Amino acid sequence: MSVHSSTRTQVAIVGGGPAGLMLSHLLHIAGIESVVVDNRTVEQIETTHRAGILERDSVRLLVDSGASDRVLTDGHEHGGISLRFGGVSHRIDFQKLTGASVWLYPQTEVFVDLHRARTRDGGDLRYGILDTEVTGVLDSPVVTYTDAAGARHEIAADLVVGADGSRSVCRDLVENARQYYREYPFAWFGVMVQAPPSAPELIYTRAAQGFALISQRTDTLQRMYFQCDPNEDPAQWSDDRIWDQLHSRLAGSDGFRLQDGPVLERTVLPFRSFVQSPMRHGRLLLAGDAAHTVPPTGAKGLNLALADVRVLAEVIERAIDKGDGDALDSYTERALSRVWKAQHFSYWMTTMLHRVSGATDFDEQRQLGELQTLISSNAGSTYLAEGYTGWPHH
Ligand code: DHB
């Protein structure tokens, strides 16, 4: 097929989710040109529910870079979370322990803000394309794709960034990469429900039946999750069956009442840990889920992606503007040191709160002992608060 258009840019970004758009935004501020391609449409991305918690530095990055001020007006600052076990909630006070907060601001809103900012600044964004191919990553990268009308286009670039999510095609271009995996024997059943909020902050619950998480969205819409089997079919779950699970897991003796209502959406979210190293091969660099995924407990995924692109924008600027060829070499190590901390944090929160089939009475009592230690120890609570609100950037 003949090529319909040829573009030359400094950085071609494959993937126009929050990682790709934030990188494009930061590069624009540094005076570096980029083109973003994504095979999804803007509408598809805007309507796919993802996690809702932003670390302190993620909020700072959005605000200080001029990408979003809505996070401060429409988002909700949460100075802590509740850990609920044995039928009683215990608050972990992030503000008191670390002076930091997190913000409840759904990833879909982060995407909307970034998309608006890039559009406002004249960004070259190409959504709804097909058959993306990346070649020449060792010396002269080219991204080719087919547009919705069937015409073939090519983008030649100095660097190409794979921010193309957990089913990344760019990832496979990194030769001799090492891949680290961990499977978990459960999944989350996620629901969007029409109900008033049951609590002002998130409730992470450990119950005999398994984990549950009560999160929020608006005055009338709430997000909740409960641990389920990975093969569960959401279509088999009536509203009543869902509420039976949530009510029984949240039951207790402290007067807490879970507000219910119609279930508007239901999905099963798989659990998987994955890391690929290195995150760079020649002129190709990976960012976000393309290079690593974490289990959802603790909501680290988007925060890690934003932390990646913050480092990436800096090393790309040094490589392109200052001719510092070694700058790109530091990327993998800098990004992965945070990724492995987050892998451990997500794993730790997961194992502390979930039920594993085959667990013995000993295992269950030990798990309660761990939670009890955590809430009764300043050091234990601070460890959770530091990880949840996000470790400082170096
Ligand atoms: C949400 C998701 C998470 O995985 C989490 O740990 C906290 C909140 C959410 O969607 O609101």
Side-chain angles (χ1 to χ4, degrees):
M1 191 190 298
S2 69
V3 172
H4 185 79
S5 84
S6 259
T7 312
R8 164 121 219 130
T9 190
Q10 289 175 293
V11 183
I13 301 174
V14 181
L21 287 182
M22 179 53 105
L23 179 65
S24 177
H25 176 64
L26 294 173
L27 292 176
H28 171 72
I29 293 170
I32 296 171
E33 273 181 12
S34 63
V35 177
V36 177
V37 299
D38 197 304
N39 55 17
R40 299 165 298 177
T41 64
V42 168
E43 212 226 323
Q44 273 169 339
I45 303 176
E46 276 175 359
T47 52
T48 307
H49 297 301
R50 306 294 291 267
I53 290 290
L54 294 176
E55 294 174 357
R56 172 177 52 184
D57 283 357
S58 298
V59 174
R60 279 194 186 145
L61 183 64
L62 284 164
V63 173
D64 294 352
S65 70
S68 172
D69 38 33
R70 246 172 19 107
V71 59
L72 297 178
T73 53
D74 296 11
H76 295 274
E77 181 175 358
H78 286 189
I81 55 166
S82 281
L83 287 180
R84 186 169 177 85
F85 58 95
V88 179
S89 290
H90 306 267
R91 184 163 189 265
I92 306 290
D93 188 334
F94 298 158
Q95 271 295 335
K96 196 175 86 199
L97 296 163
T98 65
S101 296
V102 294
W103 268 257
L104 182 78
Y105 190 64
Q107 179 165 331
T108 41
E109 300 302 319
V110 174
F111 171 80
V112 166
D113 291 347
L114 283 166
H115 185 256
R116 199 174 288 165
R118 285 310 292 129
T119 306
R120 173 195 70 201
D121 296 341
D124 187 341
L125 314 175
R126 308 180 188 184
Y127 286 92
I129 53 135
L130 305 161
D131 301 331
T132 309
E133 273 177 275
V134 179
T135 54
V137 297
L138 286 183
D139 39 27
S140 46
V142 177
V143 175
T144 40
Y145 66 89
T146 307
D147 70 18
R152 199 80 184 144
H153 299 267
E154 73 178 31
I155 305 161
D158 299 326
L159 295 171
V160 58
V161 173
D164 51 342
S166 58
R167 282 183 289 251
S168 172
V169 294
C170 294
R171 174 197 294 156
D172 299 336
L173 299 172
V174 179
E175 282 167 25
N176 302 317
R178 175 122 198 231
Q179 297 188 324
Y180 303 82
Y181 289 97
R182 189 184 204 282
E183 302 288 335
Y184 292 81
F186 36 74
W188 276 9
F189 200 105
V191 290
M192 194 65 83
V193 302
Q194 192 183 324
S198 299
E201 292 173 350
L202 272 59
I203 309 173
Y204 285 83
T205 308
R206 183 253 179 228
Q209 305 89 330
F211 173 79
L213 170 60
I214 306 305
S215 181
Q216 300 88 17
R217 285 297 180 263
T218 67
D219 289 346
T220 53
L221 266 188
Q222 313 308 322
R223 183 74 164 149
M224 301 180 191
Y225 305 92
F226 58 91
Q227 178 185 349
C228 69
D229 188 273
N231 302 315
E232 208 60 76
D233 173 9
Q236 301 296 313
W237 283 73
S238 65
D239 287 20
D240 282 349
R241 192 170 167 213
I242 289 168
W243 285 116
D244 277 353
Q245 280 300 322
L246 284 165
H247 280 301
S248 68
R249 293 181 195 201
L250 269 295
S253 55
D254 61 354
F256 172 76
R257 262 184 51 104
L258 183 62
Q259 305 283 336
D260 60 25
V263 176
L264 307 178
E265 243 190 80
R266 59 203 80 202
T267 29
V268 171
L269 293 83
F271 259 59
R272 211 167 72 114
S273 285
F274 167 74
V275 178
Q276 173 161 311
S277 180
M279 289 169 66
R280 174 200 171 195
H281 183 60
R283 294 174 174 271
L284 167 71
L285 300 117
L286 303 176
D289 281 2
H292 43 75
T293 58
V294 290
T297 328
K300 286 281 170 254
L302 172 60
N303 293 293
L304 280 181
L306 294 176
D308 279 356
V309 298
R310 173 196 179 110
V311 175
L312 193 49
E314 183 201 311
V315 297
I316 289 178
E317 190 183 352
R318 280 187 9 226
I320 288 187
D321 279 357
K322 309 198 171 73
D324 175 0
D326 296 338
L328 299 178
D329 290 339
S330 64
Y331 175 57
T332 294
E333 197 182 322
R334 286 176 66 189
L336 285 190
S337 81
R338 171 173 291 262
V339 166
W340 280 114
K341 283 185 185 173
Q343 285 291 1
H344 172 68
F345 184 77
S346 310
Y347 159 95
W348 171 68
M349 276 201 76
T350 300
T351 52
M352 187 166 69
L353 294 161
H354 286 66
R355 193 192 129 82
V356 189
S357 71
T360 62
D361 290 350
F362 177 93
D363 297 331
E364 299 207 356
Q365 294 303 320
R366 186 212 57 78
Q367 198 180 39
L368 288 167
E370 181 173 13
L371 286 160
Q372 201 65 50
T373 316
L374 189 79
I375 58 139
S376 58
S377 150
N378 214 49
S381 302
T382 305
Y383 176 78
L384 173 65
E386 283 174 351
Y388 201 95
T389 57
W391 307 283
H393 287 266
H394 303 293

